[in-house]
Amino acid sequence: MNLASPFSLSVVAITALALLGLPIGHSMIAGSILYLWLAGLDMGTSAEQLLNGLYTSYILLAVPMFILAAELMNAGTMTDRLLQFCNAVVGRFRGGLAQVNVLQSIIFAGMSGSAIADAAGTGKMMQQLMTRDGKYPASYAAALTAVTSVVGPIIPPSIPLVIYALISDASIGYLFIAGIVPGLLLALSQMIIVAIDARRKNFPVEKPVPLRELPGITLRAFPALMLPVVLLVGIRGGVMTPTEAAAVAAGYALLISVAIYRSVTPGQLYHALLNSARTTASIGMLIAGALVFNYVVTVENIPQSLSVILKSWDLSPMGFLILVNILLLILGCVLEGTTILLVIVPVLIPTAQALGVDMVHFGVMVVVNIMLGLVTPPYGLLLFIMTRIAEVPLRDLVHDVMPFLYAMIAALMLITFFPSLVLWLPRLLGYQG
C-alpha cells in the first residue's frame, strides 16, 4: 500500500486524532472527510452516508431502548432483589459469594448489553460485598468481577449482537437465541474455576438462606427474572420484531420499577432517561463515524482485496475462524468492541461468506472474542476499569484473571470447533442456515 495514498493518510489522521483524545467516532468522520478531499470526491458524501446509515437502519432503534431498560432496572430496588435471589440459590456453597458474582452476571445479562456498564454497576456492588470483612482478596474479587462482566453482552438482549446484525444482515432473533449457550458456557467455565479456587484457597461459606424463604425471595425477583423470557418468547412467537422487543423491554422495566416495585422516584426516572440518552449519543456517534469510514473502505475495495489474499492462502473454513480468533483477541486488547464490530468485522464478512461460514455462528464467535479481549492483558479495558474501582495493582489483577481467561478461551475453542453448540437451539426453533 502506498504510504502517501489518500487511504493511508486518512488512517494516519484517524489514529493521530484518537491518540490526541478526540472520540473515535469523531476521528473516523474527520479522517473520512480527509480521504474524500484528497481523493477528489464529493465531501458531502460523508453526510449522505451518515444520514442514510442512521435513519434507514430500523434495527438501530433497539440500542437506545435496551440501554434505557438497563438504566430503569438499575434505578430502583430491582438489583437488590435479583442479588438476593442469586445468594439464595448458590450462596450456601463454599466460595458461595463468588458463585453469586457469576450467577448475577447471567441474570443481569437480560438487562444490559454492555460489559463496562455491568462492571461499573452490579460488578462494583459485588466487589464491595466480596471484600467486606476481608472475605476475599481485593484482587481476586476484582478479577472475578471483570470476567463475569463479559457474559452480559453475549446472553440476550445484546447490543453487540444488534450491531453485528446491522453489518451482516444476519437474523437478530436467531443471533439472540444463538448467544444463550455460549454465554452459559462462559459462565460455567468461570464457576468451575471458582469451585477449584474455593477449595484450594479455603474461601468462606456464607450463612445459608433457609429453604423456606426461597419461594418468597424468588417471588419478589420473579417480575425482573421474566424480562428475558418475555423478549425471547415474543421474538420467536412472531409477536414482535427485535426492535419492538427493545421498546417492550424498556416499557416492561418501567412498569415493574414504578407500578409493581414502586422503587423509582421521578428524580431517578429523570436520571435514567438522561444517562441512557448520553450513552446512546456516545454509541450513535461511534456508529456514525464507522458508517462513513466503511464507505471509504468500500471505495478502496479493501474487503474484496483481503478476501483475495486470504483465498490465496488456501485456508479452510476452520483455519479462517482460528485466524479470526487470534486477530480479534489481539485487537480486543487495544480497541473498543463496537469499533472492532463496525470497522474490522465488515472487512472479514465477505471472506467468511465465501468460505461458507454460517453468519450466525460467526457473529456469536466474533462477539465472544471481542468480550474476551476486554480482560486480556496487557491492555484489556475492563482490567483498567477494575483497577480503579478496586484500587488494586494491575499486576495482581492480571495474576488472578489468567486462570479464568484460560478457561474462557477453552470455551471459545469449543464454540469455534463445534458450531452445533451455537446453532442447535436456533435450528430447534426453525433456523435454516
Side-chain angles (χ1 to χ4, degrees), residues 81-130:
R81 294 170 189 262
L82 289 171
L83 286 176
Q84 289 173 6
F85 171 78
C86 295
N87 185 53
V89 174
V90 297
R92 64 186 67 247
F93 306 110
R94 181 167 296 280
L97 196 55
Q99 297 288 13
V100 168
N101 200 338
V102 181
L103 184 59
Q104 66 85 22
S105 72
I106 299 173
I107 293 176
F108 280 94
M111 294 128 213
S112 171
S114 167
I116 295 172
D118 286 349
T122 56
K124 185 176 182 179
M125 186 183 304
M126 287 304 308
Q127 175 74 21
Q128 295 169 346
L129 289 174
M130 290 181 67

Side-chain angles (χ1 to χ4, degrees), residues 340-355:
I340 297 174
L341 274 173
L342 289 168
V343 178
I344 306 299
V345 175
V347 178
L348 300 172
I349 286 176
T351 304
Q353 291 173 326
L355 291 172

Side-chain angles (χ1 to χ4, degrees), residues 31 33 137 186 198 206 304:
I33 292 174
L186 289 183
E206 302 300 314
Q304 289 73 18

Side-chain angles (χ1 to χ4, degrees), residues 25-40:
H26 295 76
S27 301
M28 286 191 287
I29 292 174
S32 301
I33 292 174
L34 175 64
Y35 169 85
L36 295 172
W37 177 62
L38 293 174

Side-chain angles (χ1 to χ4, degrees), residues 315-336:
L315 288 172
S316 67
M318 190 55 61
F320 170 75
L321 292 179
I322 293 173
L323 181 64
V324 170
N325 277 332
I326 296 171
L327 173 65
L328 296 184
L329 204 59
I330 294 172
L331 290 175
C333 297
V334 294
L335 291 177
E336 198 271 335

Side-chain angles (χ1 to χ4, degrees), residues 201-214:
K201 301 179 180 180
N202 197 30
F203 286 156
V205 178
E206 302 300 314
K207 182 180 178 180
V209 176
L211 291 178
R212 65 178 180 275
E213 296 181 13
L214 185 57

Side-chain angles (χ1 to χ4, degrees), residues 4 115 169 241-242 258-259 423-424 427:
D169 290 329
T241 66
V258 175
L423 298 175
W424 76 269
R427 284 171 178 166

